Amino acid sequence: MELGLTDKVAVITGSSRGLGLASARALVAEGCRVVLCARGAEQLAEAAVEVEAAAKRPGMIGTVQADVSTLAGIELVIGTAVETFGGLDVLVNNVGRAAGSDLLGTTDAEWQAAFDETLFPAIRASRLAVPHMRQRGGGAIVMIASIYGREAGGRMTYNTVKAAEISLAKALAQQLAPANIRVNSVAPGSIMFPGGSWHKRQQSDPAGIAAWLSPETLQRLRELSTKISDAKR
C-alpha cells in the first residue's frame, strides 16, 4: 500500500529504543526522512545504524542528542529537523516516563517530573511543529499514549500523564483540522523490548513471564476484558 510518505520529514521523540525506534524503522522504510533523538549518545548512534539499515536510500536519517524534557532540548530537535531536511510533516510524541507509587507515597517532585518528562514534551513539540506543518499544507501528529491512560493500571503518575496526552490529542485534533493537520493518539498495551521494564522482568523471572504469557492466561485475560467492556455498556 502506498501511504504517501515518500520524502516526508518525521520527528520521533524518544526514538533510541522500544516503540519510538520501531516507529522510526517503519517510517523510514516507507520513504520518510526521519530525525531521531535521545539523551544518550551511544544508544542514539546504535539506533541510527539500525534505522539506516531500513532506509530506501542513504541520507534519510538525522540524529539529535537532546533532553526533550526541556524547552531548549525540544527546540534543538525541531530546529535541526527543519534545518537538515527543509521542513516537517510528521511528529510522533513518544517520549515518556513516570515514577512514584501511591497517593501518599508520591512526592510533588515525582508528580512534576512525570509531567515534565511526558506531557510537556508533547505540548512543546507540537507547538513548535505546527507552524512548519502549516507551511507544508498539512501534517500529522501522533501521541503515543497508553492503555493505562484509559484504564486503571500501572503507576498513578503514568496513568495521569497518559490520560492527559489522550485529552490533548482530542483538543488539538479539533483545533488543527482546518489546517489539514491530523492528530491521533495511540494507546498500546505492554510492549517488551531490550532494556524495557518487561524485558527486565523476563530476565529476572523467565518462568514467571512464560506462565503469564501462556495461552491459558491470555484467554482468561481476554474473557476478563470482555466482561469489563460489557459491564460498561
Side-chain angles (χ1 to χ4, degrees), residues 60 103 183 207 212:
M60 302 291 285
L103 179 63
V183 184
W212 191 78

Side-chain angles (χ1 to χ4, degrees), residues 117-187:
E117 296 181 9
T118 305
L119 181 62
F120 276 102
I123 293 171
R124 291 166 176 154
S126 299
R127 186 171 59 206
L128 290 166
V130 163
H132 299 291
M133 292 181 178
R134 282 179 169 152
Q135 289 179 359
R136 311 269 275 195
I141 298 173
V142 180
M143 306 284 182
I144 304 297
S146 169
I147 189 64
Y148 286 157
R150 300 174 56 190
E151 307 290 344
R155 285 191 175 92
M156 177 178 57
T157 51
Y158 187 77
N159 298 353
T160 302
V161 292
K162 289 301 181 179
E165 282 191 317
I166 292 171
S167 183
L168 175 63
K170 292 177 180 179
L172 293 183
Q174 291 179 319
Q175 291 178 25
L176 299 176
N180 196 33
I181 298 173
R182 185 178 64 255
V183 184
N184 298 99
S185 65
V186 182

Side-chain angles (χ1 to χ4, degrees), residues 48-74:
V49 170
E50 184 175 334
V51 176
E52 191 78 57
K56 292 186 175 181
R57 61 183 187 275
M60 302 291 285
I61 307 301
T63 61
V64 185
Q65 184 182 359
D67 179 359
V68 297
S69 68
T70 67
L71 175 58
I74 200 64

Side-chain angles (χ1 to χ4, degrees), residues 104-122:
L104 300 183
T106 303
T107 66
D108 282 0
E110 287 170 322
W111 274 110
Q112 189 64 57
F115 281 89
D116 287 344
E117 296 181 9
T118 305
L119 181 62
F120 276 102

